[in-house]
Amino acid sequence: MTNTHLTEQQIAELTAKAHAIANPSPPEVKTKTWCFGQFQVEMPEEMSPFVTTDYTKDFAQKTIFVLGEHGGEWKYRYANIILPNETMTHDVFVKKMKAREDELKKSPNNEGGFMFVESNQPDENTRVIVRWQTNLGKIMVTTEGYKWVDGKVIHLDAEADDDHIKESAQDMVERLEILRSRKSDEIPNQKGFCVPDGIFVEGEARNGQIVLDFMFPGRDDVAFVFDIGKISKIDGPSLLNRVGGMMSKIGPEAHRVKTIRKEKRSIPGYPNGEEWMISAPGIDGTRDFSFIWEGDSDGTNEHPVVRVELTTGNFGKPSSMNEIEAIALWDRVLNTFKVRVVDPKTAQAQNLFPKSIAGGEKREEVRVQP
């Protein structure tokens, strides 16, 4: 007589197979690591900032990466990065900078003169051009900063009063001095502030602010937004303490809002982070989702105020995700969001800049403050 009894190991294997059939694993999602500000995150490979829709083209031009601080010795001590970065050879860069200067020298301003004020060429890869502008009837200048790094041109603009022209130009030179190139998939391990195609190594860049919006191509109803703020602490109640006030503003429709999560959630470097996840009726019987995570600053450069948000049903379109998909995307991304790991030895390195075009192996030297 044949023994048909199964061993415990066989039973376990059959049980595991049955469970796998009943609960298939979600397909593997390919991801790409992104670096911005002091942070890094793994995003689905197809999601990227500034995808080519009408909205995001406009968004790309207006997205602001603020370097430096408002206030200080004079009012406008900050700069914005103008996106997208242009790709060109060094020869084309030199010609475009000359053409820009010539254009301003021929363009009249509102005071009877011309737009050009002055220019500076700290090295063969850098240009600083100061031009006039009129702002609310007060004479202002815009300081344009350009740096060619490994085939990309990074462009900064800064505003100043007309009695701080020299200071504004010098500030721009100092910002560009601490800028080096960075490949889109490169995650630096030295201190600094990542921006598209580059990193500002310390200096004023450590006071940077950035808002970065990721979207799926062809699915602009879904947006993943990272808002990196100042190092000062949140002014007012924390996220969970604001929930009541936000719900009261919804009014009589508040009962249709479903709370998915409302709790503390830590990520590396932010042990007291807070999370609020809700859904609400959307278009065509769908549900729109709004997931928020906030982390307060501890007063250090490495841990500024941070807000991460996932929303669906944007632009008056029905949500292309259901609840399970939205939660899966949210958890997958947030579980990888963290402050970049910094190698102390690399952070103290002084040769952080790419090779000079004219100088062969020569490298600029910068002291990184501990």
Side-chain angles (χ1 to χ4, degrees), residues 29-36 39-49 182-188 194 212 214 226 333 336-341:
V29 177
K30 293 183 178 180
T31 62
K32 177 180 178 180
T33 305
W34 291 85
C35 169
F36 47 88
F39 298 87
Q40 67 181 69
V41 69
E42 298 280 338
M43 299 297 295
E45 191 174 57
E46 66 268 35
M47 288 193 88
S48 61
R182 182 181 66 85
K183 295 180 180 179
S184 62
D185 59 351
E186 176 190 353
I187 309 301
C194 285
L212 203 57
F214 285 84
F226 297 86
V333 170
T336 66
F337 180 61
K338 61 183 178 181
V339 178
R340 283 189 297 108
V341 176

Side-chain angles (χ1 to χ4, degrees), residues 91-312:
D91 287 344
V92 172
F93 168 70
V94 172
K95 292 177 182 178
K96 289 198 73 168
M97 292 299 97
K98 184 180 185 306
R100 177 58 174 161
E101 188 170 322
D102 291 344
E103 175 192 12
L104 293 172
K105 288 179 178 178
K106 297 175 183 178
S107 301
N109 64 20
N110 293 341
E111 302 297 319
F114 294 95
M115 295 296 291
F116 179 80
V117 177
E118 65 178 47
S119 65
N120 187 2
Q121 182 180 336
D123 58 59
E124 64 274 16
N125 300 330
T126 308
R127 298 292 187 280
V128 175
I129 301 173
V130 183
R131 61 175 170 84
W132 293 109
Q133 66 157 297
T134 301
N135 188 349
L136 300 178
K138 184 177 181 181
I139 300 300
M140 306 280 293
V141 295
T142 294
T143 300
E144 302 176 0
Y146 301 88
K147 186 156 188 177
W148 185 92
V149 284
D150 291 349
K152 296 279 188 178
V153 177
I154 299 180
H155 173 193
L156 281 69
D157 274 359
E159 294 183 343
D161 301 317
D162 61 350
D163 56 347
H164 290 102
I165 293 174
K166 296 296 182 184
E167 294 94 332
S168 180
Q170 182 58 35
D171 273 8
M172 185 63 74
V173 170
E174 292 175 359
R175 289 187 182 98
L176 295 175
E177 282 178 349
I178 62 171
L179 171 63
R180 77 160 179 84
S181 64
R182 182 181 66 85
K183 295 180 180 179
S184 62
D185 59 351
E186 176 190 353
I187 309 301
N189 61 356
Q190 76 261 24
K191 289 183 178 182
F193 196 88
C194 285
V195 296
D197 303 313
I199 177 172
F200 290 86
V201 286
E202 283 292 71
E204 291 188 8
R206 60 189 173 185
N207 295 321
Q209 300 175 69
I210 183 171
V211 179
L212 203 57
D213 192 325
F214 285 84
M215 290 184 177
F216 288 104
R219 293 171 58 191
D220 58 1
D221 75 286
V222 179
F224 225 119
V225 182
F226 297 86
D227 188 340
I228 313 300
K230 290 186 176 182
I231 63 172
S232 57
K233 297 183 73 65
I234 293 175
D235 183 16
S238 67
L239 173 63
L240 297 184
N241 288 326
R242 300 197 308 272
V243 167
M246 289 187 281
M247 290 297 292
S248 66
K249 293 180 180 179
I250 298 176
E253 296 296 312
H255 71 281
R256 304 179 68 188
V257 176
K258 173 185 174 182
T259 298
I260 300 172
R261 289 184 201 156
K262 178 187 169 185
E263 60 191 14
K264 296 277 189 179
R265 179 170 182 174
S266 64
I267 69 167
Y270 289 84
N272 298 313
E274 297 183 349
E275 178 183 58
W276 185 38
M277 301 165 59
I278 62 172
S279 71
I283 297 174
D284 299 335
T286 62
R287 301 282 294 184
D288 294 340
F289 302 97
S290 177
F291 301 165
I292 303 172
W293 180 90
E294 283 187 5
D296 202 354
S297 173
D298 62 2
T300 66
N301 299 324
E302 290 77 16
H303 302 97
V305 175
V306 179
R307 179 184 175 96
V308 182
E309 186 169 4
L310 170 64
T311 56
T312 73

